[in-house]
Amino acid sequence: QVQLVESGGGLVQAGGSLRLSCAASGMIFSLNVMGWYRQAPGKQRELVGTIRNGGGTTYEDSVKGRFTISRDNAKNAVYLQMNSLKPEDTAVYYCNARRIGTTMSYWGQGTQVTVSS
């Protein structure tokens, strides 16, 4: 059974930093593209960025240069380092795993990030 468990969310002032972690189990981690999504109140869930097994990353435009995604295949973990946080980054952040070559996609339960102005 695939499980994704996020941690590291919290309350931070604008300009601050947070590091989210996602621990994966029940799957072959290296066969999945890992991603971070977020959903703000009243808005649709949006992609923050992704990272492939080889380390290649993509980012949503508003987080480029501020957020960094990394993964540790030995630990079955993916991370989201968030710097220079803004109030508009406030959202529930979700970890996602998408099995390469399939439509299988798994989600974590989400972790709340709140940025105060």
Side-chain angles (χ1 to χ4, degrees), residues 3-115:
Q3 278 195 315
L4 301 173
V5 180
E6 302 99 332
S7 60
L11 174 64
V12 64
Q13 288 189 331
S17 298
L18 280 175
R19 187 186 192 224
L20 306 184
S21 299
C22 172
S25 61
M27 64 179 187
I28 303 174
F29 189 70
S30 61
L31 295 182
N32 287 268
V33 176
M34 301 302 296
W36 287 97
Y37 288 71
R38 65 186 180 185
Q39 187 166 18
K43 295 188 177 181
Q44 288 190 330
R45 191 173 296 189
E46 66 174 1
L47 177 64
V48 174
T50 63
I51 185 166
R52 303 186 72 87
N53 183 49
T57 54
T58 65
Y59 296 96
E60 192 270 329
D61 285 347
S62 69
V63 307
K64 284 180 181 177
R66 299 188 299 122
F67 290 11
T68 303
I69 298 175
S70 60
R71 65 189 288 165
D72 186 335
N73 287 346
K75 295 183 178 180
N76 283 10
V78 62
Y79 308 98
L80 179 64
Q81 177 67 45
M82 304 184 292
N83 299 328
S84 302
L85 282 161
K86 304 176 181 180
E88 51 263 44
D89 294 318
T90 295
V92 177
Y93 283 71
Y94 296 91
C95 178
N96 173 265
R98 179 172 56 82
R99 180 70 179 259
I100 297 169
T102 75
T103 58
M104 290 189 290
S105 181
Y106 305 94
W107 295 92
Q109 82 288 350
T111 185
Q112 177 70 48
V113 172
T114 303
V115 184

